[in-house]
Amino acid sequence: MKTNSSYQTSARTTLVALLFLIGLTLLFVLPFIGTRAQSQTSGSINPNGTGTNLTFVGTHNSPGGNIQENTCVDTTPAASCETYVLTVNGTPADWAAAGKKIQVLLSWSAGSNEYDIYIHQGNTVDGPLVTSAIQGPGQETQVAIIDPSSAGTGTFTIHIAYDVTPTAAADHYTANITAVTGCGGVGSSSPAPQDPNIPRGAIGFENYEAPGVLTPVVVTSSGGATVEYMGRGAGEPSVGVNWLSANATSAVGGVVNIQSDLETNFIYFADPNTTPVTTPIATWFNRRSPTSVAIDSDPIGFTDHDTGRVFAGELTLLSPDTPKVSFTDNDGVNWKPAPFLQGPASAVDHETIGGGHYHAPLPSGLPGIYPNAVYYCSQDIGAAFCARSDDGGVTLGTQTPLYTLEQCGGLHGHVKVAPDGTVYVPNRSCLGGNTAVVVSTDNGMSWTVRPITNALTLPSSPSTDDPSVAIDAVGTVYALFALNGTQATVAVSRDQGVTWSNIYDVGAAFGVKNVAFPAAVGGSATGTALTSTDGRAAVAFYGSTNPGCDSSSDQFAGVWHLYVAETFDSGAHWTTTDVTPTLPMQRMGLLRGGGGPADRNLLDFFDISVDKDGRVVVGYVNGCSGGPCSQASSSASGNAYTTVATIARQSSGKRLFAANDPVGTTSKPGMPFVTATRVNGVVKLAWNEADTGNLPINNYKVYRGTASGAETLLTSLGNVTSYTDTTATDPNQTYYYQVVARNKVGSSPNRNEISVPFVGDTCSGVIIHKNQPDHPESTGGSTVGQPPAPQLLIDYIAVGEPYLNGANELMLKMKVGNLNSLPPNSRWRIVWDWVGPASNPNPDEQFFVGMRTDSNSAPTFEYGTVATLSLVVLGVPQENLIGSADPASNFNPDGTITIFVPKSAVGNPQPGDLLGAVNGRTFTGDTPETNTLERSTLLIDHTFVKGNTDNSYPAATYTIVGNNVCAPAPSPTPTPTPKKKPH
């Protein structure tokens, strides 16, 4: 979930704030009970699990309100948090040899309460943050893991924050500290049996990013019409396919749509075998709905395959008091607003729209306007509700509770409707913390909670993400969930969720150890749910093969890929595909939970669908877009923190509809997805090949040209997925490349052209982002009034590492219109994401350098961090000044500001590391109250980065190379003249 301010937060904060108000009311009506320290305040633990005082109980009666740790009060009488100091004995090697980690488990009774965990090194809460756990509300447990083999031993401070605790006086938490194998948790699933007839690689995919073109959006938080790069704010996308729009040449399988933020993109896929080579395979259009304006949260989409109707929804928090929904019957050419004025009040979080056939017996009084039922479900404060529309989404009926907060947590997944009209809404925490489906067999009039458990194979099923369900043609249900956050667990039910079997880990085939954001879609089947043996379904998830028990942490040392697993025998066997096999789609942490940290750039979910011909279609977010991020070493620190709308479309292999299976088991390769960097006269290409045609790749051919469409063969390679071109040395020339794969059947389409312009070098500065002069925010983001002075209009941002006689420094540049005069009380800021590795974390997540003028226009140069504190709706970025920049920092009347800062002062990034979301911001009219704030409402100009998320094109990422790269060549040693020998 996100808001359309310049700074991302979560509606979770709105929920927390509202529950906090409820808690305050309860506090005043409860008898006053004095607070005291928890039952134990310190203890110790050994690698063998023994220790002292490893169980303690909270005793505060605080109603909570600690959305973030920095609001904690640790002293009475108004204490709202508690501390416990744990001494970890032994050495890191001892814990590694024992194969143990430390689990901190909080348990309580009521899902209306939420207690959070923050663990710091040392014996105070001021020590470096090691890990945290902030799931909820709606759960009865909270778990955090300390890995002494990497975090070290000694003392750790466990800080317990009363987040949402309206009934803390009667429902204290109990803490248990234990030594566990692996990452702790409850339950595990067995590796999925692999389909012997469909080996790994037999199902292929092609990846398509939204093009980097500016597209209009109507209203931003700054109050004016503006533009943004298409598909560059695509956190938590929904994907659908209009089957009725399918044609054999320009909309193969139907028109695909992806809904996110303020955009609804429609993608037309051409047949490369029947269209000219100049026709792109994927053509994108942004046809936003009329209700996709202003502050939005939880954008959601749904496509009714039967009718071709596409819905685009936004939440409005509490103003106005209705959700915003529009629908189109012609792929966005025309939209009709559906304000749901007769339906529910505004939901707060996790809205979802779905639809399908009615369940027998049919409801009475159906108007006959639309053939299918449409459901709108959402979480509202603590409970969750669904309402049904019988007129195609124009109006909604009475909303019905899905469950009570005592049954399930308020947050749920996306509604799905079976062919027989049974409705399913999944939930990650029901009836004691189990993953569950909430089921209706009477068209949404009543609901039953059915946990996804099996007494023999999975008695408990806690998950860290919203689960997803798929239903095949005969009603078999496939549920995918992130079991303990470490296994992509799928379970099958043949009786509408009453019982579950075939509970398997579909990520085990690739050694996946961390899992996020399940998605699922059903396919064809014959017989009945009880008898079918040919049911088809596909599930997708983000996965990392890197170990670690806190992959939500900024400093998680891993990379993430997109995986799709498919079954063709009703869940008895599965075939899993790595859809991004050589280029990751996220680096380091991937946050599951609320708030606005940098690693929440992907937000809360993604989506999967199927086209008319049975191809799997995944709409996901590329959080590591661009060559610098995708080509970085797996050991590098940093990420691009992009949010790029990306389609993964099945291009070979068996499909979800048996009637559309291709003839034969092999085919030509799919089209590689190509990335590029151009640094210091060298172009590096790298590509994903997620479709080998179920055959070995014989070779790749790289083509290059100096004009689009004019590429000629540059080189032929073996079965490798990268190439370095050292001959693209003309700084005045943009080079164009294509990469074609070939196996024994044939060649992939040659339609993946990528342009690689010259953007500078690391010695004088690499231009990270250059503002296009025609974008509206070049005039201050408003269509009225006078544009700002040229001194505050950003032209470009650049980063470099010149040789400075051995100094290890960064050089950052901002170019504005001119600086013939300096406006007073103004700031010019260059900001970038750097969370740091675990050994040297940056808790504020961002650094800045910049120039500031005082009331007399006198300039100074400085650096520091930017921390974003999440409030109810907006984040408030706050500068924390560290010190003065290098004395060589300067400005030039031509508008160039150059700042030098030691790398050691800004996180000490090493060669190969990434500075993400590098951006520029200008401010003027500072007052003592605003001169450290970077609120979006104060911006005069900025490049395309919202808070800590990169929405620009190309991605604003810089790779550290080292200052010595620019060192002058050593003078040649003169050759001595040989002396003549005497005669």
Side-chain angles (χ1 to χ4, degrees):
M1 175 270 155
K2 69 182 289 293
T3 62
N4 191 44
S5 72
S6 292
Y7 304 101
Q8 297 187 17
T9 58
S10 169
R12 175 183 182 271
T13 58
T14 302
L15 167 63
V16 168
L18 293 169
L19 284 173
F20 178 50
L21 294 177
I22 295 170
L24 285 177
T25 303
L26 289 172
L27 180 64
F28 284 118
V29 301
L30 286 171
F32 177 76
I33 302 175
T35 61
R36 56 187 174 86
Q38 71 268 26
S39 58
Q40 301 290 341
T41 59
S42 64
S44 64
I45 190 169
N46 302 306
N48 63 4
T50 62
T52 59
N53 299 333
L54 297 178
T55 298
F56 59 92
V57 179
T59 56
H60 287 342
N61 300 327
S62 169
N66 295 298
I67 302 170
Q68 292 186 323
E69 186 186 16
N70 55 20
T71 63
C72 277
V73 177
D74 293 307
T75 57
T76 58
S80 60
C81 298
E82 292 169 318
T83 59
Y84 172 96
V85 177
L86 176 68
T87 299
V88 178
N89 295 321
T91 66
D94 294 334
W95 285 87
K100 298 290 187 178
K101 299 178 177 67
I102 300 168
Q103 175 179 276
V104 181
L105 170 66
L106 304 187
S107 304
W108 60 93
S109 298
S112 57
N113 288 325
E114 177 188 347
Y115 299 92
D116 293 338
I117 305 172
Y118 301 89
I119 301 178
H120 298 262
Q121 280 186 318
N123 57 5
T124 74
V125 297
D126 298 322
L129 183 68
V130 175
T131 188
S132 62
I134 56 172
Q135 299 293 328
Q139 302 190 154
E140 295 85 34
T141 61
Q142 196 77 266
V143 180
I145 299 290
I146 305 171
D147 184 357
S149 67
S150 58
T153 55
T155 57
F156 294 81
T157 297
I158 301 172
H159 204 194
I160 311 299
Y162 287 54
D163 190 329
V164 180
T165 52
T167 60
D171 187 23
H172 294 300
Y173 69 84
T174 296
N176 285 283
I177 302 173
T178 55
V180 298
T181 302
C183 292
V186 180
S188 64
S189 52
S190 301
Q194 299 301 291
D195 195 320
N197 300 312
I198 309 172
R200 182 191 300 183
I203 300 172
F205 287 82
E206 294 175 336
N207 291 276
Y208 301 88
E209 279 190 349
V213 297
L214 290 174
T215 187
V217 290
V218 171
V219 179
T220 68
S221 58
S222 60
T226 186
V227 295
E228 63 187 18
Y229 285 100
M230 183 185 292
R232 260 56 188 182
E236 54 191 32
S238 304
V239 70
V241 187
N242 180 2
W243 294 356
L244 301 188
S245 298
N247 67 61
T249 55
S250 62
V252 178
V255 175
V256 175
N257 63 80
I258 186 168
Q259 166 71 29
S260 61
D261 197 32
L262 299 179
E263 298 181 21
T264 308
N265 301 136
F266 292 86
I267 306 100
Y268 293 71
F269 284 95
D271 182 353
N273 298 311
T274 60
T275 54
V277 70
T278 55
T279 301
I281 293 180
T283 302
W284 295 64
F285 299 92
N286 177 31
R287 298 169 181 160
R288 62 161 192 87
S289 78
T291 48
S292 294
V293 298
I295 290 178
D296 73 288
S297 53
D298 272 15
I300 200 71
F302 166 67
T303 302
D304 189 333
H305 298 311
D306 294 339
T307 67
R309 179 162 291 184
V310 177
F311 294 83
E314 312 281 348
L315 288 181
T316 56
L317 299 177
L318 299 177
S319 178
D321 197 19
T322 54
K324 299 180 297 186
V325 179
S326 297
F327 61 78
T328 175
D329 294 322
N330 55 9
D331 297 314
V333 175
N334 303 105
W335 288 91
K336 180 176 181 180
F340 288 164
L341 292 178
Q342 300 178 26
S346 175
V348 174
D349 203 0
H350 274 51
E351 69 172 350
T352 174
I353 304 173
H357 298 163
Y358 287 95
H359 197 285
L362 295 178
S364 60
L366 292 178
I369 298 173
Y370 191 79
N372 289 340
V374 176
Y375 294 90
Y376 177 88
C377 306
S378 62
Q379 165 263 318
D380 199 358
I381 310 300
F385 302 89
C386 277
R388 190 186 75 234
S389 174
D390 295 328
D391 53 13
V394 178
T395 60
L396 281 177
T398 302
Q399 55 186 359
T400 303
L402 288 171
Y403 39 75
T404 68
L405 195 54
E406 294 302 315
Q407 290 178 300
C408 299
L411 304 181
H412 54 71
H414 297 303
V415 60
K416 300 287 182 69
V417 181
D420 69 351
T422 302
V423 189
Y424 297 87
V425 178
N427 189 294
R428 68 183 179 187
S429 181
C430 293
L431 304 179
N434 291 299
T435 304
V437 290
V438 189
V439 183
S440 175
T441 56
D442 57 5
N443 301 296
M445 300 307 295
S446 64
W447 298 84
T448 303
V449 178
R450 294 172 178 168
I452 303 175
T453 57
N454 182 298
L456 296 178
T457 59
L458 192 68
S460 184
S461 57
S463 59
T464 56
D465 302 84
D466 297 332
S468 183
V469 295
I471 309 101
D472 69 21
V474 298
T476 303
V477 181
Y478 307 83
L480 178 69
F481 53 99
L483 181 63
N484 297 311
T486 59
Q487 291 186 309
T489 299
V490 66
V492 178
S493 177
R494 298 175 179 270
D495 52 11
Q496 300 174 329
V498 176
T499 61
W500 296 88
S501 61
N502 290 349
I503 302 175
Y504 297 128
D505 176 6
V506 294
F510 281 88
V512 171
K513 296 179 177 64
N514 284 282
V515 174
F517 303 168
V521 65
S524 64
T526 60
T528 68
L530 293 176
T531 64
S532 177
T533 58
D534 62 356
R536 300 189 177 198
V539 298
F541 56 94
Y542 300 149
S544 175
T545 60
N546 298 95
C549 299
D550 192 8
S551 58
S552 282
S553 167
D554 276 341
Q555 286 79 32
F556 172 67
V559 298
W560 299 80
H561 290 228
L562 171 67
Y563 296 89
V564 174
E566 296 176 61
T567 182
F568 303 94
D569 56 7
S570 302
H573 298 86
W574 292 84
T575 297
T576 304
T577 302
D578 185 346
V579 180
T580 56
T582 53
L583 304 179
M585 42 67 59
Q586 177 83 348
R587 302 177 59 85
M588 299 190 73
L590 196 166
L591 179 63
R592 280 85 87 198
D599 67 340
R600 197 165 179 256
N601 54 313
L602 309 184
L603 296 180
D604 290 339
F605 60 84
F606 68 98
D607 203 6
I608 188 171
S609 190
V610 59
D611 75 8
K612 183 180 181 181
D613 301 326
R615 298 178 189 85
V616 174
V617 178
V618 182
Y620 71 101
V621 188
N622 190 348
C624 186
S625 181
C629 185
S630 63
Q631 296 181 24
S633 165
S634 60
S635 61
S637 290
N639 185 39
Y641 299 105
T642 49
T643 55
V644 180
T646 310
I647 298 293
R649 180 174 180 258
Q650 186 179 347
S651 48
S652 69
K654 295 183 73 170
R655 299 182 181 176
L656 285 187
F657 301 152
N660 298 99
D661 280 344
V663 176
T665 59
T666 60
S667 62
K668 295 184 292 184
M671 186 173 67
F673 175 78
V674 185
T675 67
T677 63
R678 186 176 181 182
V679 179
N680 297 337
V682 176
V683 174
K684 293 183 179 180
L685 304 176
W687 52 90
N688 268 324
E689 180 56 81
D691 180 7
T692 66
N694 198 23
L695 288 167
I697 296 294
N698 291 340
N699 58 68
Y700 290 98
K701 294 184 182 295
V702 178
Y703 297 81
R704 189 185 75 183
T706 55
S708 178
E711 294 88 354
T712 58
L713 181 64
L714 176 65
T715 187
S716 294
L717 307 169
N719 188 10
V720 296
T721 56
S722 63
Y723 175 70
T724 299
D725 182 5
T726 59
T727 64
T729 56
D730 186 348
N732 300 309
Q733 183 64 63
T734 294
Y735 292 93
Y736 297 83
Y737 294 86
Q738 291 185 346
V739 178
V740 175
R742 183 173 180 82
N743 62 18
K744 72 177 185 180
V745 174
S747 298
S748 64
N750 58 338
R751 306 192 192 188
N752 54 6
E753 181 181 84
I754 185 170
S755 64
V756 189
F758 179 77
V759 290
D761 57 55
T762 63
C763 305
S764 58
V766 175
I767 294 178
I768 299 299
H769 182 82
K770 185 175 179 63
N771 267 353
Q772 293 184 216
D774 58 343
H775 82 84
E777 293 192 11
S778 286
T779 58
S782 176
T783 57
V784 297
Q786 296 297 315
Q791 294 94 325
L792 298 166
L793 284 180
I794 300 171
D795 180 11
Y796 67 78
I797 300 296
V799 183
E801 300 169 80
Y803 181 70
L804 301 170
N805 295 317
N808 194 23
E809 297 204 353
L810 284 174
M811 176 186 69
L812 299 105
K813 292 182 178 180
M814 175 187 289
K815 175 69 170 65
V816 296
N818 68 66
L819 290 171
N820 294 327
S821 62
L822 298 181
N825 299 317
S826 299
R827 283 175 291 153
W828 295 258
R829 294 299 192 236
I830 303 172
V831 183
W832 67 95
D833 290 355
W834 174 259
V835 300
S839 59
N840 187 24
N842 173 25
D844 289 348
E845 300 187 322
Q846 291 182 305
F847 284 105
F848 80 88
V849 299
M851 182 173 76
R852 174 195 297 273
T853 56
D854 62 15
S855 58
N856 297 315
S857 296
T860 55
F861 302 92
E862 55 199 9
Y863 73 95
T865 64
V866 178
T868 300
L869 303 180
S870 297
L871 297 180
V872 173
V873 178
L874 302 178
V876 182
Q878 175 82 43
E879 295 178 1
N880 299 308
L881 180 64
I882 296 177
S884 298
D886 190 287
S889 301
N890 65 86
F891 77 93
N892 191 290
D894 72 355
T896 304
I897 301 169
T898 305
I899 312 289
F900 295 92
V901 63
K903 293 175 187 173
S904 61
V906 289
N908 200 28
Q910 300 299 303
D913 289 346
L914 304 172
L915 309 185
V918 183
N919 68 97
R921 308 169 183 179
T922 59
F923 306 86
T924 195
D926 276 346
T927 68
E929 290 75 28
T930 65
N931 63 11
T932 61
L933 298 181
E934 295 196 4
R935 271 184 171 153
S936 59
T937 52
L938 300 175
L939 289 167
I940 301 302
D941 196 15
H942 64 96
T943 54
F944 288 83
V945 171
K946 295 181 180 178
N948 48 23
T949 298
D950 186 357
N951 308 104
S952 63
Y953 176 82
T957 310
Y958 178 81
T959 304
I960 299 292
V961 300
N963 296 83
N964 287 336
V965 170
C966 297
S971 301
T973 302
T975 303
T977 303
K979 295 181 180 180
K980 294 183 178 180
K981 294 182 178 180
H983 295 285

